[in-house]
Amino acid sequence: MTNELAITLDNSKNEKLNDPEVLSVSTSSNRSTSDTVQEEGPDGGFGWFVVLGAFFVQVTSFGTATSVMQDYFEQNVYKDSAVNLSFVGTIALVCINSVSPIVQICVSRFGIRIVLIAGTIFVGLGLILAGFSTEIWHLYLTQGVMFGFGASCVYVAAMGVGPQWFTKRRGMALGIIASGSGIGGLIIPFIMTSINANLGPGWTYRILGFICLFFDILACFFIRERNPPAVRQRKKLSQIINFAVFKSSDFVLFSIASNIGLLGYFIPYFFLPSYGTYLGFTAEQGSTLVAASSACNFVGRLMTGYLADRIGKVNTNVLFTFITAVSCLLIWTFAFTYGSLMAFAVIFGLTSGSFFALISPICAALLGMESFLSGLSLLLFTNVFAVFGPNIASAIESSVSSAPFFSYKMFSGIAYTIAFIILLVLKLRLNRNFFGKV
């Protein structure tokens, strides 16, 4: 989920950035940053192996929390337990986000390699042990806590290293790294569905665990700092988090809008396969919906970065958030055929990920360079609240007498509508000209 955001947490101390625009983690950012970087780096070389390792981390961290296994468990194992099952992915996402400041402290104290190795062990072990689960709470501990903690370790450790190896090609390198989550979301649902159909859920988790273990071990070999410090110094949480950023009303508006919008972001990815099953589609068709939306999410982030450079970062976020709200309220609400549901999956995928592509440049523009990292860390931490969206929506769904899945559609649509309104207020505060670039 929030998945991709820590790409900008660059550990390099040798850069002086003068233009907040260069901080964008958009996967489409291809601009040269050579004019803003004080020291020229190698711009490639071994850095491409670092990129490959970080790409593997993206695939293994965010491609495994799919809704395919939730749909299978709902239908065959833990019937009438949609709310309880939804907490499995939620716990993993909470761990990935909330543990990140602690992981940063560990990296500063022990170095990248040790943290990567520890994270690799927890990721693989968490998924492998999930294959032996017989109760939902077993999944909480394995796929939720163990996998989530390990994913946070490998993710935070890896994402700050890539930018150290590039100057002119930094945008290309970060784009390749960020695409890993989209690729994982595209192929892993098919892998899990195929294995599950032949070997069952237990072996699905175990095989997936060994796959993640293999690629994360490769990442441990590939990822290394360009200029590791001679002496490791542990960072305190107070050095990472500065609550003074909340004195900026514009940043507060952006934070509120982002969290409200993200409440609706995860719901289609969690429940599209279940909705497809309810309509009579096969498990493979349900997997295709999620895969198509994930692929379009990747493309949409490229589009977001391209438009942000031309019509403005906040304007792009406002536009994409509005389209996402409309897709939930006017397309998903009336999607009862596979074609209409696929249309929703494509449009939602294209526009719903704008926050992840624009969080970095918008934070930098609103707070300035000195407060940027503190603001970004706090915003990442507050995003923990948003991952409970599926749980809240499931609770509402189980307590109302409306048509099945209607509450999910309304919840996502209303969340994005409120986020759109708040972002529009922010845009007009920054520039009262409705068509002005901001």
Side-chain angles (χ1 to χ4, degrees), residues 8 15-25 29 31-38 170 308-309 313 360-370 372 437:
T8 54
E15 298 172 1
K16 182 179 180 180
L17 305 182
N18 299 314
D19 180 6
E21 292 282 343
V22 303
L23 287 164
S24 175
V25 295
S29 176
R31 282 182 305 178
S32 171
T33 60
S34 59
D35 58 331
T36 60
V37 179
Q38 192 175 39
R170 180 173 297 169
D309 290 336
K313 302 174 288 295
S360 177
I362 291 179
C363 283
L366 295 178
L367 298 174
M369 288 305 307
E370 291 185 0
F372 164 69
K437 181 178 179 180

PDB file of all heavy atoms in Angstrom, residues 8 15-25 29 31-38 170 308-309 313 360-370 372 437:
ATOM      1  N   THR A   8      11.952   7.958  -1.423  1.00  0.00           N
ATOM      2  CA  THR A   8      12.600   9.249  -1.306  1.00  0.00           C
ATOM      3  C   THR A   8      13.443   9.386  -0.056  1.00  0.00           C
ATOM      4  O   THR A   8      14.127  10.394   0.109  1.00  0.00           O
ATOM      5  CB  THR A   8      11.537  10.356  -1.272  1.00  0.00           C
ATOM      6  OG1 THR A   8      10.614  10.068  -0.241  1.00  0.00           O
ATOM      7  CG2 THR A   8      10.832  10.452  -2.596  1.00  0.00           C
ATOM      8  N   GLU A  15      24.283  15.206  -0.979  1.00  0.00           N
ATOM      9  CA  GLU A  15      23.501  15.901  -1.972  1.00  0.00           C
ATOM     10  C   GLU A  15      22.919  17.171  -1.388  1.00  0.00           C
ATOM     11  O   GLU A  15      22.529  17.227  -0.234  1.00  0.00           O
ATOM     12  CB  GLU A  15      22.371  15.003  -2.480  1.00  0.00           C
ATOM     13  CG  GLU A  15      22.884  13.755  -3.168  1.00  0.00           C
ATOM     14  CD  GLU A  15      21.758  12.806  -3.474  1.00  0.00           C
ATOM     15  OE1 GLU A  15      20.619  13.158  -3.157  1.00  0.00           O
ATOM     16  OE2 GLU A  15      22.034  11.733  -4.003  1.00  0.00           O
ATOM     17  N   LYS A  16      22.834  18.180  -2.239  1.00  0.00           N
ATOM     18  CA  LYS A  16      22.193  19.423  -1.844  1.00  0.00           C
ATOM     19  C   LYS A  16      21.147  19.733  -2.889  1.00  0.00           C
ATOM     20  O   LYS A  16      21.476  20.107  -4.018  1.00  0.00           O
ATOM     21  CB  LYS A  16      23.221  20.553  -1.758  1.00  0.00           C
ATOM     22  CG  LYS A  16      22.594  21.873  -1.297  1.00  0.00           C
ATOM     23  CD  LYS A  16      23.644  22.948  -1.192  1.00  0.00           C
ATOM     24  CE  LYS A  16      23.049  24.256  -0.730  1.00  0.00           C
ATOM     25  NZ  LYS A  16      24.048  25.326  -0.625  1.00  0.00           N
ATOM     26  N   LEU A  17      19.886  19.560  -2.561  1.00  0.00           N
ATOM     27  CA  LEU A  17      18.811  19.723  -3.519  1.00  0.00           C
ATOM     28  C   LEU A  17      18.220  21.107  -3.377  1.00  0.00           C
ATOM     29  O   LEU A  17      17.837  21.522  -2.295  1.00  0.00           O
ATOM     30  CB  LEU A  17      17.741  18.658  -3.273  1.00  0.00           C
ATOM     31  CG  LEU A  17      18.246  17.209  -3.283  1.00  0.00           C
ATOM     32  CD1 LEU A  17      17.088  16.257  -3.074  1.00  0.00           C
ATOM     33  CD2 LEU A  17      18.977  16.897  -4.553  1.00  0.00           C
ATOM     34  N   ASN A  18      18.150  21.825  -4.470  1.00  0.00           N
ATOM     35  CA  ASN A  18      17.642  23.186  -4.445  1.00  0.00           C
ATOM     36  C   ASN A  18      16.230  23.287  -4.996  1.00  0.00           C
ATOM     37  O   ASN A  18      15.531  24.254  -4.759  1.00  0.00           O
ATOM     38  CB  ASN A  18      18.559  24.095  -5.259  1.00  0.00           C
ATOM     39  CG  ASN A  18      19.972  24.118  -4.694  1.00  0.00           C
ATOM     40  OD1 ASN A  18      20.142  24.252  -3.492  1.00  0.00           O
ATOM     41  ND2 ASN A  18      20.974  23.974  -5.555  1.00  0.00           N
ATOM     42  N   ASP A  19      15.817  22.294  -5.758  1.00  0.00           N
ATOM     43  CA  ASP A  19      14.507  22.344  -6.382  1.00  0.00           C
ATOM     44  C   ASP A  19      13.652  21.238  -5.812  1.00  0.00           C
ATOM     45  O   ASP A  19      13.962  20.062  -5.995  1.00  0.00           O
ATOM     46  CB  ASP A  19      14.650  22.164  -7.906  1.00  0.00           C
ATOM     47  CG  ASP A  19      13.297  22.214  -8.604  1.00  0.00           C
ATOM     48  OD1 ASP A  19      12.279  22.492  -7.934  1.00  0.00           O
ATOM     49  OD2 ASP A  19      13.277  21.966  -9.812  1.00  0.00           O
ATOM     50  N   PRO A  20      12.561  21.561  -5.091  1.00  0.00           N
ATOM     51  CA  PRO A  20      11.723  20.509  -4.508  1.00  0.00           C
ATOM     52  C   PRO A  20      11.180  19.548  -5.541  1.00  0.00           C
ATOM     53  O   PRO A  20      10.836  18.421  -5.223  1.00  0.00           O
ATOM     54  CB  PRO A  20      10.583  21.300  -3.832  1.00  0.00           C
ATOM     55  CG  PRO A  20      11.164  22.658  -3.577  1.00  0.00           C
ATOM     56  CD  PRO A  20      12.081  22.912  -4.712  1.00  0.00           C
ATOM     57  N   GLU A  21      11.108  19.996  -6.819  1.00  0.00           N
ATOM     58  CA  GLU A  21      10.539  19.126  -7.844  1.00  0.00           C
ATOM     59  C   GLU A  21      11.345  17.841  -8.004  1.00  0.00           C
ATOM     60  O   GLU A  21      10.807  16.818  -8.371  1.00  0.00           O
ATOM     61  CB  GLU A  21      10.498  19.874  -9.183  1.00  0.00           C
ATOM     62  CG  GLU A  21       9.518  21.039  -9.232  1.00  0.00           C
ATOM     63  CD  GLU A  21       8.100  20.568  -9.416  1.00  0.00           C
ATOM     64  OE1 GLU A  21       7.912  19.419  -9.814  1.00  0.00           O
ATOM     65  OE2 GLU A  21       7.179  21.354  -9.156  1.00  0.00           O
ATOM     66  N   VAL A  22      12.661  17.910  -7.741  1.00  0.00           N
ATOM     67  CA  VAL A  22      13.472  16.734  -7.998  1.00  0.00           C
ATOM     68  C   VAL A  22      13.239  15.640  -6.990  1.00  0.00           C
ATOM     69  O   VAL A  22      13.762  14.542  -7.126  1.00  0.00           O
ATOM     70  CB  VAL A  22      14.975  17.090  -7.999  1.00  0.00           C
ATOM     71  CG1 VAL A  22      15.280  18.151  -9.013  1.00  0.00           C
ATOM     72  CG2 VAL A  22      15.433  17.522  -6.621  1.00  0.00           C
ATOM     73  N   LEU A  23      12.428  15.921  -5.963  1.00  0.00           N
ATOM     74  CA  LEU A  23      12.203  14.899  -4.938  1.00  0.00           C
ATOM     75  C   LEU A  23      11.112  13.926  -5.315  1.00  0.00           C
ATOM     76  O   LEU A  23      10.800  13.028  -4.560  1.00  0.00           O
ATOM     77  CB  LEU A  23      11.837  15.579  -3.610  1.00  0.00           C
ATOM     78  CG  LEU A  23      13.024  16.257  -2.940  1.00  0.00           C
ATOM     79  CD1 LEU A  23      12.532  17.213  -1.873  1.00  0.00           C
ATOM     80  CD2 LEU A  23      13.963  15.250  -2.364  1.00  0.00           C
ATOM     81  N   SER A  24      10.497  14.115  -6.463  1.00  0.00           N
ATOM     82  CA  SER A  24       9.374  13.267  -6.829  1.00  0.00           C
ATOM     83  C   SER A  24       9.786  11.815  -6.917  1.00  0.00           C
ATOM     84  O   SER A  24      10.810  11.474  -7.465  1.00  0.00           O
ATOM     85  CB  SER A  24       8.812  13.714  -8.184  1.00  0.00           C
ATOM     86  OG  SER A  24       7.817  12.842  -8.606  1.00  0.00           O
ATOM     87  N   VAL A  25       8.944  10.949  -6.349  1.00  0.00           N
ATOM     88  CA  VAL A  25       9.163   9.521  -6.482  1.00  0.00           C
ATOM     89  C   VAL A  25       8.284   8.949  -7.571  1.00  0.00           C
ATOM     90  O   VAL A  25       8.110   7.761  -7.674  1.00  0.00           O
ATOM     91  CB  VAL A  25       8.859   8.790  -5.160  1.00  0.00           C
ATOM     92  CG1 VAL A  25       9.827   9.206  -4.097  1.00  0.00           C
ATOM     93  CG2 VAL A  25       7.445   9.008  -4.730  1.00  0.00           C
ATOM     94  N   SER A  29       9.294  10.023 -13.489  1.00  0.00           N
ATOM     95  CA  SER A  29      10.218  11.140 -13.400  1.00  0.00           C
ATOM     96  C   SER A  29      11.495  10.812 -14.147  1.00  0.00           C
ATOM     97  O   SER A  29      12.271   9.987 -13.731  1.00  0.00           O
ATOM     98  CB  SER A  29      10.528  11.463 -11.937  1.00  0.00           C
ATOM     99  OG  SER A  29      11.486  12.477 -11.850  1.00  0.00           O
ATOM    100  N   ARG A  31      13.489  13.452 -15.386  1.00  0.00           N
ATOM    101  CA  ARG A  31      14.256  14.667 -15.499  1.00  0.00           C
ATOM    102  C   ARG A  31      15.660  14.474 -14.983  1.00  0.00           C
ATOM    103  O   ARG A  31      15.904  13.769 -14.027  1.00  0.00           O
ATOM    104  CB  ARG A  31      13.589  15.795 -14.704  1.00  0.00           C
ATOM    105  CG  ARG A  31      12.420  16.401 -15.391  1.00  0.00           C
ATOM    106  CD  ARG A  31      11.863  17.517 -14.558  1.00  0.00           C
ATOM    107  NE  ARG A  31      11.564  17.001 -13.240  1.00  0.00           N
ATOM    108  CZ  ARG A  31      11.104  17.752 -12.278  1.00  0.00           C
ATOM    109  NH1 ARG A  31      10.934  19.025 -12.458  1.00  0.00           N
ATOM    110  NH2 ARG A  31      10.827  17.237 -11.097  1.00  0.00           N
ATOM    111  N   SER A  32      16.581  15.167 -15.595  1.00  0.00           N
ATOM    112  CA  SER A  32      17.953  15.139 -15.120  1.00  0.00           C
ATOM    113  C   SER A  32      18.082  15.969 -13.867  1.00  0.00           C
ATOM    114  O   SER A  32      17.579  17.070 -13.779  1.00  0.00           O
ATOM    115  CB  SER A  32      18.895  15.685 -16.207  1.00  0.00           C
ATOM    116  OG  SER A  32      20.185  15.852 -15.690  1.00  0.00           O
ATOM    117  N   THR A  33      18.766  15.420 -12.892  1.00  0.00           N
ATOM    118  CA  THR A  33      18.991  16.150 -11.649  1.00  0.00           C
ATOM    119  C   THR A  33      20.447  16.553 -11.499  1.00  0.00           C
ATOM    120  O   THR A  33      20.873  16.963 -10.437  1.00  0.00           O
ATOM    121  CB  THR A  33      18.584  15.287 -10.448  1.00  0.00           C
ATOM    122  OG1 THR A  33      19.370  14.106 -10.453  1.00  0.00           O
ATOM    123  CG2 THR A  33      17.127  14.929 -10.485  1.00  0.00           C
ATOM    124  N   SER A  34      21.212  16.461 -12.586  1.00  0.00           N
ATOM    125  CA  SER A  34      22.629  16.741 -12.491  1.00  0.00           C
ATOM    126  C   SER A  34      22.908  18.180 -12.125  1.00  0.00           C
ATOM    127  O   SER A  34      23.930  18.493 -11.532  1.00  0.00           O
ATOM    128  CB  SER A  34      23.311  16.394 -13.809  1.00  0.00           C
ATOM    129  OG  SER A  34      22.744  17.132 -14.868  1.00  0.00           O
ATOM    130  N   ASP A  35      21.986  19.095 -12.495  1.00  0.00           N
ATOM    131  CA  ASP A  35      22.220  20.496 -12.205  1.00  0.00           C
ATOM    132  C   ASP A  35      21.924  20.828 -10.762  1.00  0.00           C
ATOM    133  O   ASP A  35      22.212  21.929 -10.325  1.00  0.00           O
ATOM    134  CB  ASP A  35      21.357  21.367 -13.120  1.00  0.00           C
ATOM    135  CG  ASP A  35      19.885  21.049 -12.977  1.00  0.00           C
ATOM    136  OD1 ASP A  35      19.568  19.886 -12.644  1.00  0.00           O
ATOM    137  OD2 ASP A  35      19.070  21.946 -13.189  1.00  0.00           O
ATOM    138  N   THR A  36      21.344  19.901 -10.002  1.00  0.00           N
ATOM    139  CA  THR A  36      21.035  20.189  -8.619  1.00  0.00           C
ATOM    140  C   THR A  36      21.832  19.349  -7.645  1.00  0.00           C
ATOM    141  O   THR A  36      21.686  19.452  -6.454  1.00  0.00           O
ATOM    142  CB  THR A  36      19.536  19.961  -8.355  1.00  0.00           C
ATOM    143  OG1 THR A  36      19.236  18.615  -8.645  1.00  0.00           O
ATOM    144  CG2 THR A  36      18.681  20.886  -9.167  1.00  0.00           C
ATOM    145  N   VAL A  37      22.650  18.454  -8.161  1.00  0.00           N
ATOM    146  CA  VAL A  37      23.425  17.578  -7.306  1.00  0.00           C
ATOM    147  C   VAL A  37      24.844  18.104  -7.202  1.00  0.00           C
ATOM    148  O   VAL A  37      25.506  18.326  -8.202  1.00  0.00           O
ATOM    149  CB  VAL A  37      23.427  16.132  -7.838  1.00  0.00           C
ATOM    150  CG1 VAL A  37      24.267  15.245  -6.955  1.00  0.00           C
ATOM    151  CG2 VAL A  37      22.009  15.611  -7.915  1.00  0.00           C
ATOM    152  N   GLN A  38      25.323  18.287  -6.021  1.00  0.00           N
ATOM    153  CA  GLN A  38      26.612  18.893  -5.812  1.00  0.00           C
ATOM    154  C   GLN A  38      27.729  17.947  -6.204  1.00  0.00           C
ATOM    155  O   GLN A  38      28.723  18.349  -6.773  1.00  0.00           O
ATOM    156  CB  GLN A  38      26.738  19.292  -4.336  1.00  0.00           C
ATOM    157  CG  GLN A  38      27.923  20.191  -4.047  1.00  0.00           C
ATOM    158  CD  GLN A  38      27.926  20.648  -2.608  1.00  0.00           C
ATOM    159  OE1 GLN A  38      27.594  19.887  -1.703  1.00  0.00           O
ATOM    160  NE2 GLN A  38      28.273  21.889  -2.380  1.00  0.00           N
ATOM    161  N   ARG A 170      18.812   9.143 -12.311  1.00  0.00           N
ATOM    162  CA  ARG A 170      18.120   8.798 -11.070  1.00  0.00           C
ATOM    163  C   ARG A 170      16.634   8.545 -11.310  1.00  0.00           C
ATOM    164  O   ARG A 170      16.056   7.613 -10.746  1.00  0.00           O
ATOM    165  CB  ARG A 170      18.309   9.908 -10.041  1.00  0.00           C
ATOM    166  CG  ARG A 170      17.601   9.616  -8.720  1.00  0.00           C
ATOM    167  CD  ARG A 170      17.951  10.648  -7.676  1.00  0.00           C
ATOM    168  NE  ARG A 170      19.366  10.617  -7.356  1.00  0.00           N
ATOM    169  CZ  ARG A 170      19.975  11.547  -6.631  1.00  0.00           C
ATOM    170  NH1 ARG A 170      19.288  12.583  -6.193  1.00  0.00           N
ATOM    171  NH2 ARG A 170      21.258  11.444  -6.367  1.00  0.00           N
ATOM    172  N   ALA A 308       1.971  15.981 -13.872  1.00  0.00           N
ATOM    173  CA  ALA A 308       2.376  16.853 -12.764  1.00  0.00           C
ATOM    174  C   ALA A 308       3.387  17.888 -13.216  1.00  0.00           C
ATOM    175  O   ALA A 308       3.367  19.034 -12.749  1.00  0.00           O
ATOM    176  CB  ALA A 308       2.946  16.021 -11.620  1.00  0.00           C
ATOM    177  N   ASP A 309       4.273  17.514 -14.131  1.00  0.00           N
ATOM    178  CA  ASP A 309       5.264  18.458 -14.635  1.00  0.00           C
ATOM    179  C   ASP A 309       4.641  19.519 -15.546  1.00  0.00           C
ATOM    180  O   ASP A 309       5.247  20.567 -15.778  1.00  0.00           O
ATOM    181  CB  ASP A 309       6.350  17.712 -15.422  1.00  0.00           C
ATOM    182  CG  ASP A 309       7.236  16.880 -14.502  1.00  0.00           C
ATOM    183  OD1 ASP A 309       7.322  17.214 -13.313  1.00  0.00           O
ATOM    184  OD2 ASP A 309       7.835  15.900 -14.984  1.00  0.00           O
ATOM    185  N   LYS A 313       1.450  19.666  -9.631  1.00  0.00           N
ATOM    186  CA  LYS A 313       1.342  18.463  -8.798  1.00  0.00           C
ATOM    187  C   LYS A 313      -0.022  18.367  -8.113  1.00  0.00           C
ATOM    188  O   LYS A 313      -0.688  17.332  -8.157  1.00  0.00           O
ATOM    189  CB  LYS A 313       2.457  18.478  -7.749  1.00  0.00           C
ATOM    190  CG  LYS A 313       3.859  18.538  -8.320  1.00  0.00           C
ATOM    191  CD  LYS A 313       4.907  18.705  -7.254  1.00  0.00           C
ATOM    192  CE  LYS A 313       4.897  20.108  -6.653  1.00  0.00           C
ATOM    193  NZ  LYS A 313       5.272  21.156  -7.632  1.00  0.00           N
ATOM    194  N   SER A 360       5.760  12.767  -2.435  1.00  0.00           N
ATOM    195  CA  SER A 360       7.059  13.383  -2.195  1.00  0.00           C
ATOM    196  C   SER A 360       7.136  14.824  -2.702  1.00  0.00           C
ATOM    197  O   SER A 360       7.485  15.726  -1.937  1.00  0.00           O
ATOM    198  CB  SER A 360       8.155  12.522  -2.839  1.00  0.00           C
ATOM    199  OG  SER A 360       9.408  13.131  -2.680  1.00  0.00           O
ATOM    200  N   PRO A 361       6.832  15.098  -3.967  1.00  0.00           N
ATOM    201  CA  PRO A 361       6.946  16.490  -4.425  1.00  0.00           C
ATOM    202  C   PRO A 361       5.964  17.434  -3.760  1.00  0.00           C
ATOM    203  O   PRO A 361       6.282  18.601  -3.543  1.00  0.00           O
ATOM    204  CB  PRO A 361       6.690  16.391  -5.933  1.00  0.00           C
ATOM    205  CG  PRO A 361       5.951  15.128  -6.127  1.00  0.00           C
ATOM    206  CD  PRO A 361       6.452  14.193  -5.073  1.00  0.00           C
ATOM    207  N   ILE A 362       4.770  16.959  -3.421  1.00  0.00           N
ATOM    208  CA  ILE A 362       3.807  17.840  -2.763  1.00  0.00           C
ATOM    209  C   ILE A 362       4.273  18.175  -1.352  1.00  0.00           C
ATOM    210  O   ILE A 362       4.203  19.335  -0.918  1.00  0.00           O
ATOM    211  CB  ILE A 362       2.402  17.200  -2.750  1.00  0.00           C
ATOM    212  CG1 ILE A 362       1.829  17.149  -4.170  1.00  0.00           C
ATOM    213  CG2 ILE A 362       1.467  17.991  -1.833  1.00  0.00           C
ATOM    214  CD1 ILE A 362       0.458  16.517  -4.264  1.00  0.00           C
ATOM    215  N   CYS A 363       4.761  17.185  -0.619  1.00  0.00           N
ATOM    216  CA  CYS A 363       5.296  17.459   0.720  1.00  0.00           C
ATOM    217  C   CYS A 363       6.450  18.452   0.651  1.00  0.00           C
ATOM    218  O   CYS A 363       6.546  19.374   1.470  1.00  0.00           O
ATOM    219  CB  CYS A 363       5.773  16.167   1.379  1.00  0.00           C
ATOM    220  SG  CYS A 363       4.452  15.124   2.035  1.00  0.00           S
ATOM    221  N   ALA A 364       7.335  18.273  -0.304  1.00  0.00           N
ATOM    222  CA  ALA A 364       8.476  19.175  -0.439  1.00  0.00           C
ATOM    223  C   ALA A 364       8.021  20.590  -0.772  1.00  0.00           C
ATOM    224  O   ALA A 364       8.560  21.567  -0.248  1.00  0.00           O
ATOM    225  CB  ALA A 364       9.427  18.660  -1.512  1.00  0.00           C
ATOM    226  N   ALA A 365       7.035  20.709  -1.641  1.00  0.00           N
ATOM    227  CA  ALA A 365       6.543  22.034  -2.029  1.00  0.00           C
ATOM    228  C   ALA A 365       5.837  22.732  -0.870  1.00  0.00           C
ATOM    229  O   ALA A 365       5.944  23.950  -0.713  1.00  0.00           O
ATOM    230  CB  ALA A 365       5.610  21.904  -3.225  1.00  0.00           C
ATOM    231  N   LEU A 366       5.127  21.974  -0.050  1.00  0.00           N
ATOM    232  CA  LEU A 366       4.364  22.573   1.044  1.00  0.00           C
ATOM    233  C   LEU A 366       5.236  22.908   2.256  1.00  0.00           C
ATOM    234  O   LEU A 366       4.981  23.898   2.949  1.00  0.00           O
ATOM    235  CB  LEU A 366       3.241  21.622   1.488  1.00  0.00           C
ATOM    236  CG  LEU A 366       2.136  21.333   0.467  1.00  0.00           C
ATOM    237  CD1 LEU A 366       1.146  20.337   1.047  1.00  0.00           C
ATOM    238  CD2 LEU A 366       1.430  22.607   0.050  1.00  0.00           C
ATOM    239  N   LEU A 367       6.281  22.102   2.507  1.00  0.00           N
ATOM    240  CA  LEU A 367       7.059  22.247   3.731  1.00  0.00           C
ATOM    241  C   LEU A 367       8.442  22.836   3.523  1.00  0.00           C
ATOM    242  O   LEU A 367       9.047  23.347   4.466  1.00  0.00           O
ATOM    243  CB  LEU A 367       7.205  20.886   4.421  1.00  0.00           C
ATOM    244  CG  LEU A 367       5.912  20.210   4.870  1.00  0.00           C
ATOM    245  CD1 LEU A 367       6.202  18.812   5.400  1.00  0.00           C
ATOM    246  CD2 LEU A 367       5.216  21.039   5.938  1.00  0.00           C
ATOM    247  N   GLY A 368       8.966  22.749   2.307  1.00  0.00           N
ATOM    248  CA  GLY A 368      10.342  23.154   2.083  1.00  0.00           C
ATOM    249  C   GLY A 368      11.297  22.021   2.388  1.00  0.00           C
ATOM    250  O   GLY A 368      10.936  21.030   3.027  1.00  0.00           O
ATOM    251  N   MET A 369      12.548  22.194   1.964  1.00  0.00           N
ATOM    252  CA  MET A 369      13.503  21.099   2.066  1.00  0.00           C
ATOM    253  C   MET A 369      13.869  20.735   3.503  1.00  0.00           C
ATOM    254  O   MET A 369      14.074  19.575   3.831  1.00  0.00           O
ATOM    255  CB  MET A 369      14.772  21.468   1.297  1.00  0.00           C
ATOM    256  CG  MET A 369      14.581  21.434  -0.210  1.00  0.00           C
ATOM    257  SD  MET A 369      13.952  19.842  -0.774  1.00  0.00           S
ATOM    258  CE  MET A 369      15.143  18.758  -0.044  1.00  0.00           C
ATOM    259  N   GLU A 370      13.955  21.729   4.381  1.00  0.00           N
ATOM    260  CA  GLU A 370      14.409  21.445   5.736  1.00  0.00           C
ATOM    261  C   GLU A 370      13.451  20.541   6.501  1.00  0.00           C
ATOM    262  O   GLU A 370      13.877  19.726   7.318  1.00  0.00           O
ATOM    263  CB  GLU A 370      14.612  22.758   6.504  1.00  0.00           C
ATOM    264  CG  GLU A 370      15.784  23.599   6.002  1.00  0.00           C
ATOM    265  CD  GLU A 370      16.003  24.820   6.869  1.00  0.00           C
ATOM    266  OE1 GLU A 370      15.238  24.988   7.848  1.00  0.00           O
ATOM    267  OE2 GLU A 370      16.918  25.605   6.576  1.00  0.00           O
ATOM    268  N   PHE A 372      11.124  18.556   4.967  1.00  0.00           N
ATOM    269  CA  PHE A 372      10.541  17.571   4.059  1.00  0.00           C
ATOM    270  C   PHE A 372      10.534  16.163   4.642  1.00  0.00           C
ATOM    271  O   PHE A 372       9.509  15.483   4.667  1.00  0.00           O
ATOM    272  CB  PHE A 372      11.291  17.586   2.731  1.00  0.00           C
ATOM    273  CG  PHE A 372      11.033  16.384   1.875  1.00  0.00           C
ATOM    274  CD1 PHE A 372       9.792  16.190   1.289  1.00  0.00           C
ATOM    275  CD2 PHE A 372      12.016  15.430   1.671  1.00  0.00           C
ATOM    276  CE1 PHE A 372       9.535  15.076   0.510  1.00  0.00           C
ATOM    277  CE2 PHE A 372      11.772  14.324   0.892  1.00  0.00           C
ATOM    278  CZ  PHE A 372      10.539  14.142   0.308  1.00  0.00           C
ATOM    279  N   LYS A 437      -1.476  26.859 -12.422  1.00  0.00           N
ATOM    280  CA  LYS A 437      -0.627  25.695 -12.191  1.00  0.00           C
ATOM    281  C   LYS A 437      -0.128  25.696 -10.758  1.00  0.00           C
ATOM    282  O   LYS A 437       0.492  26.662 -10.313  1.00  0.00           O
ATOM    283  CB  LYS A 437       0.560  25.696 -13.152  1.00  0.00           C
ATOM    284  CG  LYS A 437       1.487  24.487 -12.999  1.00  0.00           C
ATOM    285  CD  LYS A 437       2.621  24.529 -14.005  1.00  0.00           C
ATOM    286  CE  LYS A 437       3.548  23.323 -13.827  1.00  0.00           C
ATOM    287  NZ  LYS A 437       4.669  23.336 -14.804  1.00  0.00           N
TER     288      LYS A 437
END
